[in-house]
Amino acid sequence: MKQLLRLCQQEEKKLGQLGQQRSEAQNRIDSLSQQKQLLSQMVKEYTELSCNALSPITLQNSAQMIETIAPMQKQLTRKQLLLQQEHQRMDNLWRQQLGRQQGIKWLYQERKQQQRAQLERQEQKQQDDFASRYALS
C-alpha cells in the first residue's frame, strides 16, 4: 500500500513537471508570435514609408529594411513551427501521464477502500465473537 502511495506521488510529480514544460513551450510560442507580429508591423510601416517616400534614399532604405526583415520572419516562422510540434509532443505526453496518474490514484483509492472494508469486517467479526461469548455465559 505504501509503495502504491509512493508511486502515486511520483506520477503526480511527473505530471507537474510535464505540465510546466508544456506551459513553457506555449510561452515560447507566444513570445515568437509577438516577435513575428512586431516584424510584420515594421514591414507594414516601411512599406507605407516607401509608398510616401519623397526621396530615393528613403525609398532605398525602406526597401533594404524590408529585405532585411524578411529572412527574420522566415526564421521565426520555422522556429514557431518547431515549437508548436514540441508543444504538441509535450501535450501528448502530459495527457498520457494524466491518464496514468489518474489510473494509479484510482487504484490507490480502491485498495484503500478495500482495506477499510476488510478492517470493518474484521472488527465486526470480533464484536460478534465477543457478543456470542457473553451471550453463552
Side-chain angles (χ1 to χ4, degrees):
M1 190 70 166
K2 286 182 182 181
Q3 291 174 342
L4 194 55
L5 176 61
R6 191 172 24 250
L7 181 61
C8 188
Q9 291 168 341
Q10 289 172 347
E11 295 300 316
E12 285 179 13
K13 185 178 177 181
K14 287 179 190 175
L15 183 65
Q17 290 170 341
L18 286 172
Q20 184 177 357
Q21 291 173 351
R22 185 176 77 151
S23 294
E24 289 170 359
Q26 184 61 52
N27 290 341
R28 288 192 304 267
I29 290 170
D30 294 344
S31 175
L32 283 178
S33 292
Q34 289 174 348
Q35 291 175 24
K36 279 179 58 180
Q37 194 173 22
L38 288 173
L39 289 177
S40 294
Q41 183 63 34
M42 288 174 68
V43 167
K44 181 181 174 187
E45 289 172 6
Y46 281 116
T47 301
E48 289 173 0
L49 185 64
S50 66
C51 289
N52 300 326
L54 299 177
S55 71
I57 293 176
T58 305
L59 183 62
Q60 183 181 6
N61 286 343
S62 294
Q64 286 176 342
M65 286 305 294
I66 291 171
E67 286 177 25
T68 302
I69 293 172
M72 297 165 100
Q73 285 178 308
K74 287 179 184 177
Q75 183 181 18
L76 285 177
T77 299
R78 270 187 256 126
K79 278 185 179 181
Q80 188 178 25
L81 288 173
L82 290 173
L83 279 175
Q84 285 171 340
Q85 289 173 350
E86 176 65 13
H87 180 265
Q88 185 64 41
R89 188 182 73 80
M90 291 305 303
D91 188 57
N92 289 339
L93 288 173
W94 181 83
R95 288 174 191 276
Q96 290 173 356
Q97 183 64 29
L98 178 63
R100 186 171 29 252
Q101 182 266 340
Q102 287 178 336
I104 291 172
K105 188 174 183 178
W106 175 86
L107 180 62
Y108 172 73
Q109 294 296 334
E110 189 68 21
R111 294 271 170 91
K112 197 171 158 182
Q113 179 64 29
Q114 290 172 357
Q115 195 175 42
R116 261 190 247 127
Q118 184 177 358
L119 284 174
E120 288 173 6
R121 284 192 301 271
Q122 287 175 347
E123 288 175 5
Q124 186 62 47
K125 185 179 181 307
Q126 287 175 348
Q127 290 174 359
D128 291 346
D129 289 346
F130 286 136
S132 67
R133 284 186 200 159
Y134 285 117
L136 294 175
S137 309

